[in-house]
């Protein structure tokens, strides 16, 4: 336990144009059952009245410290500014449009002290206007750790519901890179590689607000450049990590290549062959940067990687545009996403439930309470 004048936890909250949500966020912070916390609100110079609301709360609670800003620098640099001034034994991050259960920090901190852990991850519930879905990520992490020593294979996002030992972050110079996408994943992988251990606390619940303006869902014109840059940074961290070879290969398979080829690739609009040529060029450069070749993926039957290494990017782009590489919605009950004619993901509608399998592995179930079961899925 820190001394009386040192908080147990420093909570860093970047503030940018969240006027509609920040009051609820701050209410959940100042009402935490744990009192030995400092709240560092970082002004990222938005255009609404968010900071006026923050100042009103700060006038009533001395635990709130405001870091004034002079220009908009982005969420990564806002978090780094907060980390520079953090005084707590542990550091946490909260987005200003999210909120927390009242005992969130008490549960995380007690677990950290009991386990003497550098990182303690809670649970979270994703909240939409019409529904809320508790995450099952912690179950996946537990399953992962039965076979692997590196939890990052299953812990692939949601860095914000974790406590990080402040001294660990500073000793290893762990900060957020200036990217428009993926800065949080670089930070998380770096922390996981240096932490003495990660422990889980399912009872500590973070409410992850899903709305049209949330930064985690906004895609800018620089999205793909930043996407590949953050994967390059992670590739460099993994090469230097000394992690078991199988763990690194599985991280590439499940945390890099699958998202690239089953999600990010499908975000592109239209049939722009030049774009896809550039995309596959970046994929190949990324694999070479990581020092990997198809032979390392010998235990995966899908020939994705052989195609990537054997064909030129322009050929891959032509295959993608000309062949059945996007979702096939001809069947109302089942449809498939294919790349180079190979089934990658399968979706099956059962009433108001959609089941998703990727590479034959069941990975999600989505409920559609207001959707007619006979309606075609959107294209």
């Amino acid at each position: 336990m820190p001394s009386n004048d040192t908080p147990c936890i420093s909570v860093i909250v970047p503030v940018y144009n969240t006027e509609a949500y920040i009051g609820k966020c701050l209410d959940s912070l100042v009402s935490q059952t744990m009192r030995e916390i400092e709240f560092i609100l970082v002004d990222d110079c938005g255009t609404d009245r968010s900071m006026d609301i923050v100042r009103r709360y700060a006038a009533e609670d001395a635990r709130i410290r405001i870091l004034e800003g002079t220009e908009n620098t982005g969420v990564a640099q806002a978090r780094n500014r907060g980390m520079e001034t953090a005084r707590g034994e542990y550091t946490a991050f909260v987005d200003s449009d999210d909120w927390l259960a009242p005992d969130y920090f008490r549960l995380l901190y007690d677990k950290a002290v009991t386990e003497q852990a550098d990182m303690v991850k809670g649970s979270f519930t994703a909240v939409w206007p019409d529904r809320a879905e508790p995450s099952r990520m912690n179950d996946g992490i537990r399953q992962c750790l039965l076979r692997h020593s590196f939890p990052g294979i299953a812990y692939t996002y949601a860095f914000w519901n974790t406590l990080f030992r402040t001294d660990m972050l500073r000793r290893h110079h762990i900060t957020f890179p200036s990217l428009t996408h993926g800065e949080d994943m670089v930070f998380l992988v770096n922390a996981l590689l240096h932490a003495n251990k990660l422990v889980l606390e399912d009872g500590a619940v973070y409410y992850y607000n899903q709305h049209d303006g949330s930064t985690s869902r906004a895609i800018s014109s620089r999205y793909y450049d930043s996407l590949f840059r953050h994967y390059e940074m992670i590739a460099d961290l993994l090469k230097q990590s000394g992690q078991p070879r199988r763990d690194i290969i599985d991280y590439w398979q499940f945390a890099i290549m699958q998202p690239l080829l089953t999600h990010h690739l499908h975000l592109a609009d239209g049939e722009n062959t030049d774009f896809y040529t550039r995309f596959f060029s970046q994929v190949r450069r990324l694999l070479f940067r990581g020092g990997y070749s198809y032979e390392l993926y010998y235990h995966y039957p899908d020939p994705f990687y052989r195609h990537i290494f054997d064909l030129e990017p322009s050929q891959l782009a032509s295959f993608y545009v000309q062949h059945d590489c996007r979702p096939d919605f001809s069947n109302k009950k089942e449809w498939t996403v294919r790349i180079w004619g190979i089934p990658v993901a399968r979706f099956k509608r059962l009433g108001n439930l959609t089941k998703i399998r990727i590479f034959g592995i069941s990975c999600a179930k989505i409920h559609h309470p207001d959707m007619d079961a006979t309606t075609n899925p959107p294209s």
Side-chain angles (χ1 to χ4, degrees), residues 286-340:
L286 176 65
L287 287 169
F288 283 130
R289 185 185 185 108
Y292 298 103
S293 63
Y294 173 77
E295 286 70 26
L296 289 180
Y297 298 92
Y298 60 89
H299 52 287
Y300 298 112
D302 302 290
F304 284 153
Y305 308 100
R306 184 175 298 283
H307 280 297
I308 288 172
F309 283 100
D310 288 351
L311 299 179
E312 290 300 314
S314 59
Q315 294 175 296
L316 294 171
S318 296
F319 258 77
Y320 186 80
V321 171
Q322 296 172 12
H323 292 73
D324 183 16
C325 300
R326 279 165 280 231
D328 174 12
F329 299 118
S330 59
N331 188 313
K332 293 181 180 180
K333 299 295 184 182
E334 298 185 35
W335 63 104
T336 302
V337 176
R338 299 175 184 273
I339 296 180
W340 309 307

Side-chain angles (χ1 to χ4, degrees), residues 166-185:
T166 305
D167 177 64
M168 184 266 294
L169 297 177
R170 288 177 173 159
R171 278 188 292 111
H172 298 290
H173 309 288
I174 300 171
T175 59
F176 294 88
S178 295
L179 299 172
T180 58
H181 175 83
E183 82 291 333
D184 51 347
M185 278 310 306

Side-chain angles (χ1 to χ4, degrees), residues 82-249:
M83 290 169 62
E84 290 173 0
T85 67
R87 299 182 299 122
E89 180 184 7
Y90 284 85
T91 296
F93 302 90
V94 175
D95 287 347
S96 59
D97 51 356
D98 299 336
W99 63 95
L100 313 171
D103 57 354
Y104 178 77
F105 284 122
R106 169 58 64 191
L107 291 171
L108 290 181
Y109 184 77
D110 286 350
K111 177 76 78 168
V113 172
T114 300
E115 299 284 346
Q116 289 295 294
D118 285 346
M119 293 175 62
V120 184
K121 182 188 179 304
S123 185
F124 70 89
T125 294
V127 181
W128 285 265
D130 60 344
R131 70 189 191 280
E133 295 183 3
S135 167
R136 299 180 59 186
M137 182 186 291
N138 286 4
D139 293 338
I141 294 172
R142 291 186 178 95
Q143 289 297 315
C144 168
L145 291 176
L146 295 176
R147 298 181 59 232
H148 302 282
S149 61
F150 182 49
I153 297 166
Y155 186 6
T156 56
Y157 69 101
F159 85 99
W160 26 255
N161 75 325
T162 295
L163 282 188
F164 302 87
R165 191 186 299 276
T166 305
D167 177 64
M168 184 266 294
L169 297 177
R170 288 177 173 159
R171 278 188 292 111
H172 298 290
H173 309 288
I174 300 171
T175 59
F176 294 88
S178 295
L179 299 172
T180 58
H181 175 83
E183 82 291 333
D184 51 347
M185 278 310 306
V186 178
F187 176 90
L188 178 59
V189 169
N190 205 359
L192 287 169
L193 290 172
H194 287 99
N196 66 348
K197 62 178 171 178
L198 168 75
V199 296
L200 306 173
E201 175 49 72
D202 293 340
V205 182
Y206 183 112
Y207 292 95
Y208 179 33
N209 189 11
Q210 299 288 282
H211 59 87
D212 289 342
S214 62
T215 57
S216 60
R217 300 177 64 204
I219 299 176
S220 73
S221 60
R222 296 177 294 169
Y223 175 83
Y224 284 100
D225 287 341
S226 190
L227 171 73
F228 280 98
R229 181 66 187 126
H230 104 271
Y231 281 137
E232 288 172 357
M233 290 180 175
I234 290 174
D236 292 345
L237 289 171
L238 292 173
K239 283 178 67 174
Q240 302 164 11
S241 68
Q243 290 291 315
R245 178 172 174 270
R246 176 62 181 256
D247 284 14
I248 293 177
I249 292 173

